[in-house]
Amino acid sequence: MEDNEGLNFDKNSGLIPVVVQDYITGEVLMLAYMNKESYELTLKTGYMHFFSRKRNKIWKKGETSGNIQEVVSLYYDCDGDTILAKVKQKGPACHTGNKTCFFNEIIKKENLVGFEILKDLMVVINKRKN
Amino acid sequence: MEDNEGLNFDKNSGLIPVVVQDYITGEVLMLAYMNKESYELTLKTGYMHFFSRKRNKIWKKGETSGNIQEVVSLYYDCDGDTILAKVKQKGPACHTGNKTCFFNEIIKKENLVGFEILKDLMVVINKRKN
């Protein structure tokens, strides 16, 4: 369960980019970086911990805002240099108050006909279930 | 439409990590890097282009495999150092033949009750539509 043999922390100065995805809606919430210590803290506690390149220290996501991320599942990619985390997000993921950090549109070629449509449905289903 | 004022290519030696997501299923397919030139090629052609850190050159995703990625929409994040791309993926995204590069499970706490369930449904709907 804590096997990280396939993960390569050396490729990018000890840091691995982590894509964080809402496990209910599939929405990509943010990208942040983990060093080995924050990765191990994440496994140990079940809550997302990252390494801040700016502040040069480990932080627990939501430690001040309360907008914590509970780990549902973690994956690493084919060459072991990126992590994908599916999480239960409390509140908005972004420090701006937006649900996701990716709210700046560069281009949008067409109206999405994919999973976007079902996102709201999943939220309703999950709310009624609880 | 080609406004990239908010994007900061200087933060990570001229490279920006790009999260690539299937626009139909919401699945995160891969993470790769863009320099300014590959970003501009992506905007110009409508197909994903990246910068290979290993080969130190620009590549069009699928140029040899045929598994190209057509851009549906592009976003950048709150601090302008990451891109999210929603794409029409042709074939598998991963060079291993897997649909997504994130096929290595580290932990999975519970059966997902979120968008995973609806992924297959969206594939069926989209197939019937075409």
Side-chain angles (χ1 to χ4, degrees):
Chain A
M1 194 157 149
E2 291 192 27
D3 176 12
N4 60 352
E5 277 179 69
L7 273 177
N8 185 350
F9 283 93
D10 299 329
K11 227 163 162 179
N12 188 27
S13 322
L15 296 180
I16 286 191
V18 182
V19 180
V20 184
Q21 188 177 30
D22 185 304
Y23 92 109
I24 294 175
T25 63
E27 204 166 7
V28 175
L29 300 172
M30 58 185 277
L31 182 130
Y33 294 84
M34 279 185 186
N35 62 357
K36 201 151 187 276
E37 196 184 340
S38 54
Y39 171 73
E40 283 163 358
L41 266 170
T42 299
L43 287 182
K44 194 178 152 194
T45 63
Y47 289 91
M48 298 299 285
H49 287 71
F50 302 105
F51 184 83
S52 168
R53 297 176 299 172
K54 211 168 160 184
R55 291 175 287 154
N56 201 40
K57 65 168 212 166
I58 296 203
W59 58 291
K60 179 186 177 185
K61 168 68 186 165
E63 67 189 349
T64 52
S65 65
N67 299 330
I68 50 174
Q69 295 175 333
E70 189 183 337
V71 178
V72 175
S73 54
L74 292 176
Y75 303 84
Y76 64 89
D77 70 343
C78 53
D79 54 358
D81 64 0
T82 311
I83 290 173
L84 171 64
K86 299 188 184 180
V87 304
K88 282 187 195 169
Q89 172 69 54
K90 195 173 168 193
C94 188
H95 74 286
T96 59
N98 284 283
K99 198 189 164 198
T100 163
C101 293
F102 296 96
F103 53 85
N104 300 298
E105 190 180 302
I106 303 168
I107 50 166
K108 193 172 180 178
K109 271 181 55 183
E110 53 188 276
N111 286 325
L112 298 182
V113 293
F115 79 105
E116 300 278 341
I117 291 169
L118 295 173
K119 260 187 348 199
D120 293 342
L121 177 63
M122 283 315 300
V123 171
V124 172
I125 290 171
N126 270 277
K127 268 191 190 150
R128 294 211 180 149
K129 217 180 55 186
N130 299 327
Chain B
M1 194 159 148
E2 290 191 26
D3 174 12
N4 60 353
E5 276 179 68
L7 273 176
N8 186 352
F9 282 93
D10 299 328
K11 227 164 163 179
N12 187 28
S13 321
L15 296 180
I16 285 190
V18 182
V19 180
V20 184
Q21 188 177 31
D22 186 304
Y23 93 108
I24 295 175
T25 63
E27 204 165 8
V28 175
L29 301 171
M30 58 185 276
L31 182 130
Y33 294 84
M34 280 184 184
N35 63 356
K36 201 152 188 274
E37 196 183 340
S38 55
Y39 170 75
E40 282 163 357
L41 266 169
T42 299
L43 287 182
K44 193 178 154 195
T45 63
Y47 289 92
M48 297 299 284
H49 288 69
F50 301 105
F51 184 83
S52 168
R53 296 176 299 173
K54 210 168 161 182
R55 292 175 288 153
N56 202 39
K57 66 168 209 166
I58 295 202
W59 58 291
K60 179 186 176 187
K61 169 67 187 164
E63 68 189 347
T64 52
S65 65
N67 299 330
I68 51 174
Q69 295 174 333
E70 189 183 337
V71 178
V72 175
S73 55
L74 292 176
Y75 303 84
Y76 64 89
D77 70 344
C78 52
D79 54 357
D81 63 2
T82 311
I83 289 173
L84 171 66
K86 300 188 184 182
V87 303
K88 283 187 194 169
Q89 172 69 53
K90 194 174 169 192
C94 188
H95 73 286
T96 59
N98 284 283
K99 199 187 164 202
T100 164
C101 293
F102 296 96
F103 54 84
N104 300 299
E105 190 179 302
I106 303 169
I107 51 166
K108 192 172 179 178
K109 270 182 55 184
E110 53 189 277
N111 286 326
L112 298 182
V113 292
F115 79 105
E116 301 278 339
I117 292 169
L118 295 172
K119 258 186 352 198
D120 293 343
L121 177 64
M122 283 315 300
V123 171
V124 173
I125 290 171
N126 271 279
K127 267 190 188 148
R128 294 209 179 150
K129 215 179 58 185
N130 298 325

